[in-house]
Amino acid sequence: MAPVSDPCSFSSFSKCLTKHLNLTYQVDFDSHVLKGKVALTVEVLEDKLSVLTLDTKDLKIFKVAANGQTAKFALGAKHGYKGSPLEITLPFELSRGQHVIVDIEYETSPQASALQWLSPAQTAGKKHPYLFSQCQATHCRTMVPCQDTPSVKHTYYAQVSVPRELVALMSAVQDGQEQDPNDSSRVIYRFRQPVPMPSYLIALVVGALESRVIGPRSRVWSEKEYVDKAAFEFSETEAMLRAAETLAGPYVWGQYDLLVLPPSFPYGGMENPCLTFATPTLLAGDQSLSNVIAHEISHSWTGNLVTNKTWEHFWLNEGHTVYLERMICRALDGEQFRQFKAMGGWKELHESVERFGANNVLTNLVPNLQDVDPDDSFSCVPYEKGFALLYYLEELMGGPEVFMGFVKSYIQLFAYSSVTTEEWKDCLFTYFKDKVDILNKVDWNAWMYTPGMPPVKPQYDTTLADACIALSQKWLKAKDADLAGFSEADIKPLSSHQLIEFLALLLAEDPLPLSHVKRMQEVYHFNSVTNSEIRYRWLRLCVQAHWEGAVPLALEMATKQGRMKFTRPLFRDVFNVAEFRDEAVKTFKEHRATMHPVTAALVARDLKIEESQNTGL
Ligand code: BES
Ligand code: ZN
């Protein structure tokens, strides 16, 4: 395969490939530092190799050895989000096919962007500190010097020493624990990940964690305050795993556990192998937000088994995962429900395209990420444009069963490897070799390399959306004199999914008049709803209608939890109303120090406190 370059990595993966990592961590909650040792087993791909380059960011490197011999090393200048290349000069030359073990002693920075160190006050239990990592997309290099590119896959083994009242978990299978021989107040937890995976899937959590069994291969982990609620919320996990296996083939990772993090976790979910990380904002009490779990389960095939070769091909991870997620929802809740969710996704794509601008190249399905931080370019475009393409192809090729046949064979062909969009497309044309005439009519260039909305809008069944559309239209058309006609009974027949859709439809239009949102609160009492997806959209609607009374509620939601999907638009909406702007900035500044490092950096840019780079935002 032709070597592909990764604009986000300095590592020399055309010359050598990491096969295995052996990691040792001492977790220091006083200094907010991981004292680390790593042994990388590296396979050499070319003759006369004597220099290799790894990715690092904000690491202190103390010592490097190759096959036990001390090696010279130099850290290059820091290149913003990419960090500093670590150039290692071997004391010998290697030839193609040989392996070398590179040992590195190092320490992380308290500012490591992969890590959030929480004080006891920031936890539910209030007694113990807490640490979690989030490596995707390019933060693993702040935890481990490595080839931090999704084009390289390796296994790993890890030993983590933590204070004995805490539990450590990683994105791997547990492999026992013992008292730390150097310090009886500490315990060492061991982990093994025998399935090759990219560096961005390395994950670590340390906290006062408990667990409950929720299925034959699943436990849910969290602080004890959330654990029973989480066990109920995610009780469909095994049913989803089975549905996914029927669709995509065997689950190869052994265990599938879930971890519910503290509220500052920046994503809805993260597909760390063997241990999905999830935000507590999914704990709605009625399992209604479990599609996020279906999504993370799906990544066990698309993303973790078949991986995007670089972040420019991120849609291969997320588009296929949304496709599988919705196929799982179809298996559990029916085709109409899948179509309802698909239509909602198209609307979200529309919102993102409008926000970025329809000419912004970051709305390309396959963007150019030269000098673009993937965190800055993150949006629902790779998810929903990717899904829309697959859903469009599904219709062209003969429906969900037929198209799943392709998705399954794509997974089989590329399992354990990393792929580009072109390789995906070749696979598609090969699978549907009898239908290439239809495939040749697809406007590939428009779908993949052109900004804005896709060239074709797929068809959706509107059965479940009709009630949402009708009620939203009634509000959009209502004059002040009509407001008395609304009552609590309007929303009685709507499911929480439909309430989300109803609010999303209103948000897609020009802001409602203040009189309308005030009346909506009188009749629907949305201020007291705790379902995070409903509350988030409701508070945006109120702020956009310039309702001053909603500003403290919006800023409270933006800061009490830190899921970026909620926190960023809430801050942005408050900031975008001139008379509320100062309040948004003041609240952000008060919370910044205790926010997740990535969330803090992105909100700072959204609120124009720091310059944004190259995003056109
Ligand atoms: N892998 C992503 C989260 C992610 C993406 C983290 C890019 C860092 C960089 C995860 O699978 C995801 O997509 N989560 C979504 C779930 C949703 C689409 C159902 C989320 O966080 O909301
Ligand atoms: Zn995902």
Side-chain angles (χ1 to χ4, degrees):
M1 212 85 56
V4 175
S5 64
D6 180 340
C8 303
S9 169
F10 294 111
S11 82
S12 37
F13 52 87
S14 58
K15 297 182 185 172
C16 60
L17 295 174
T18 305
K19 294 304 203 180
H20 181 74
L21 289 185
N22 194 338
L23 263 172
T24 310
Y25 279 136
Q26 166 111 11
V27 180
D28 186 340
F29 278 102
D30 296 324
S31 59
H32 289 186
V33 156
L34 299 178
K35 295 181 175 139
K37 279 188 199 170
V38 64
L40 300 104
T41 307
V42 177
E43 182 194 357
V44 176
L45 299 179
E46 62 175 35
D47 287 334
K48 299 199 172 158
L49 181 92
S50 62
V51 177
L52 58 96
T53 307
L54 299 177
D55 292 299
T56 76
K57 188 179 165 193
D58 302 330
L59 294 180
K60 271 192 208 160
I61 307 290
F62 300 125
K63 201 175 156 195
V64 179
N67 292 345
Q69 288 178 248
T70 303
K72 289 205 181 110
F73 64 92
L75 269 184
K78 187 172 175 181
H79 293 247
Y81 64 93
K82 289 190 219 176
S84 314
L86 171 63
E87 198 169 276
I88 298 171
T89 308
L90 305 174
F92 40 73
E93 269 187 2
L94 292 167
S95 23
R96 193 184 149 87
Q98 285 189 302
H99 285 75
V100 58
I101 296 187
V102 180
D103 284 295
I104 305 174
E105 285 178 30
Y106 69 99
E107 204 173 275
T108 63
S109 153
Q111 275 73 48
S113 54
L115 302 174
Q116 190 179 12
W117 299 84
L118 298 176
S119 66
Q122 289 174 279
T123 67
K126 310 284 177 208
K127 280 210 191 74
H128 299 288
Y130 195 107
L131 166 69
F132 69 85
S133 69
Q134 168 56 47
C135 286
Q136 197 182 12
T138 56
H139 302 286
C140 186
R141 62 195 72 180
T142 73
M143 282 179 71
V144 200
C146 63
Q147 293 187 289
D148 199 7
T149 164
S151 59
V152 173
K153 292 192 173 187
H154 50 72
T155 53
Y156 82 87
Y157 193 85
Q159 305 182 65
V160 185
S161 166
V162 302
R164 73 168 174 229
E165 45 305 340
L166 303 181
V167 174
L169 298 172
M170 291 191 79
S171 52
V173 180
Q174 289 175 288
D175 195 43
Q177 66 194 69
E178 66 190 9
Q179 194 176 55
D180 188 333
N182 301 315
D183 182 346
S184 65
S185 74
R186 301 176 69 90
V187 184
I188 295 179
Y189 286 87
R190 295 194 227 92
F191 306 93
R192 73 190 143 80
Q193 180 48 271
V195 183
M197 47 153 250
S199 57
Y200 76 86
L201 293 175
I202 292 176
L204 171 67
V205 59
V206 184
L209 299 173
E210 289 199 3
S211 73
R212 296 277 181 277
V213 170
I214 55 165
R217 46 187 151 176
S218 303
R219 291 177 165 269
V220 61
W221 296 86
S222 72
E223 284 190 80
K224 67 171 182 300
E225 289 75 7
Y226 302 130
V227 77
D228 289 313
K229 193 165 187 202
F232 169 75
E233 203 76 42
F234 304 137
S235 55
E236 300 161 295
T237 298
E238 180 61 21
M240 289 179 169
L241 282 164
R242 293 234 177 104
E245 287 189 295
T246 305
L247 291 162
Y251 178 78
V252 304
W253 306 88
Q255 194 72 10
Y256 180 82
D257 283 359
L258 285 158
L259 167 74
V260 178
L261 285 114
S264 64
F265 185 62
Y267 294 96
M270 176 65 213
E271 64 271 27
N272 299 130
C274 310
L275 181 66
T276 282
F277 282 23
T279 166
T281 64
L282 301 182
L283 302 176
D286 61 0
Q287 308 186 341
S288 61
L289 305 179
S290 64
N291 72 296
V292 176
I293 304 306
H295 180 94
E296 305 315 331
I297 285 174
S298 301
H299 273 305
S300 307
W301 291 266
T302 48
N304 299 1
L305 207 51
V306 180
T307 307
N308 48 218
K309 202 166 265 177
T310 72
W311 298 115
E312 296 178 323
H313 304 284
F314 183 50
W315 84 272
L316 291 175
N317 275 18
E318 297 301 344
H320 288 85
T321 298
V322 173
Y323 186 79
L324 273 178
E325 166 201 335
R326 291 183 180 149
M327 288 300 282
I328 295 174
C329 292
R330 176 178 190 258
L332 269 51
D333 298 310
E335 175 65 6
Q336 282 187 347
F337 188 63
R338 180 178 82 120
Q339 302 242 346
F340 173 72
K341 288 288 178 181
M343 202 169 113
W346 180 270
K347 203 165 50 279
E348 278 188 21
L349 175 60
H350 208 272
E351 190 193 336
S352 278
V353 168
E354 278 191 350
R355 192 165 49 81
F356 275 84
N359 295 318
N360 191 320
V361 288
L362 290 178
T363 65
N364 288 8
L365 187 59
V366 187
N368 178 346
L369 291 186
Q370 203 66 53
D371 298 314
V372 180
D373 180 347
D375 284 342
D376 286 338
S377 68
F378 184 82
S379 77
C380 78
V381 169
Y383 293 78
E384 296 298 349
K385 209 186 221 188
F387 172 83
L389 172 59
L390 297 174
Y391 185 68
Y392 164 66
L393 291 172
E394 169 196 299
E395 204 185 328
L396 280 184
M397 294 295 108
E401 278 81 15
V402 174
F403 198 69
M404 248 336 283
F406 158 68
V407 175
K408 192 168 182 174
S409 96
Y410 160 72
I411 292 167
Q412 275 166 0
L413 183 63
F414 293 115
Y416 308 103
S417 65
S418 302
V419 282
T420 62
T421 299
E422 285 308 312
E423 289 166 320
W424 169 85
K425 198 177 152 197
D426 288 345
C427 175
L428 179 78
F429 274 72
T430 307
Y431 186 84
F432 290 114
K433 54 182 178 307
D434 301 334
K435 297 181 181 165
V436 283
D437 47 328
I438 308 180
L439 288 175
N440 277 325
K441 289 194 190 117
V442 173
D443 189 347
W444 295 103
N445 188 52
W447 274 101
M448 288 171 174
Y449 305 106
T450 310
M453 289 302 282
V456 209
K457 182 177 178 179
Q459 296 290 306
Y460 306 98
D461 174 288
T462 64
T463 310
L464 290 170
D466 284 338
C468 315
I469 298 168
L471 187 59
S472 70
Q473 283 300 322
K474 212 173 144 197
W475 279 96
L476 289 166
K477 290 189 182 130
K479 303 272 175 290
D480 279 357
D482 304 320
L483 292 178
F486 291 102
S487 80
E488 204 175 351
D490 307 338
I491 58 166
K492 275 270 141 56
L494 301 187
S495 67
S496 60
H497 304 281
Q498 287 173 311
L499 283 178
I500 293 167
E501 181 60 15
F502 161 67
L503 292 168
L505 285 162
L506 294 174
L507 273 175
E509 304 294 329
D510 290 341
L512 284 174
L514 184 54
S515 53
H516 286 48
V517 290
K518 285 189 168 171
R519 177 64 185 156
M520 200 177 285
Q521 167 58 17
E522 266 172 31
V523 286
Y524 303 158
H525 312 290
F526 285 147
N527 276 346
S528 42
V529 170
T530 55
N531 179 305
S532 58
E533 294 280 355
I534 298 176
R535 186 172 185 81
Y536 153 73
R537 289 181 179 78
W538 162 243
L539 292 175
R540 288 191 73 185
L541 208 62
C542 294
V543 170
Q544 290 182 12
H546 295 210
W547 190 356
E548 200 179 341
V551 171
L553 300 181
L555 292 174
E556 179 187 70
M557 184 171 187
T559 52
K560 281 243 159 91
Q561 60 76 47
R563 183 175 175 187
M564 289 198 279
K565 170 182 173 182
F566 300 149
T567 293
R568 292 183 68 187
L570 285 166
F571 264 120
R572 236 173 11 223
D573 280 1
V574 176
F575 181 83
N576 283 339
V577 180
E579 62 264 39
F580 305 152
R581 176 162 292 194
D582 294 346
E583 197 58 29
V585 173
K586 178 169 155 267
T587 304
F588 171 64
K589 287 184 172 164
E590 282 164 9
H591 286 84
R592 183 175 196 169
T594 54
M595 284 168 72
H596 186 278
V598 173
T599 315
L602 291 172
V603 174
R605 290 187 190 176
D606 291 342
L607 305 192
K608 318 267 192 281
I609 292 166
E610 260 133 48
E611 279 301 296
S612 64
Q613 306 171 334
N614 299 314
T615 59
L617 293 177

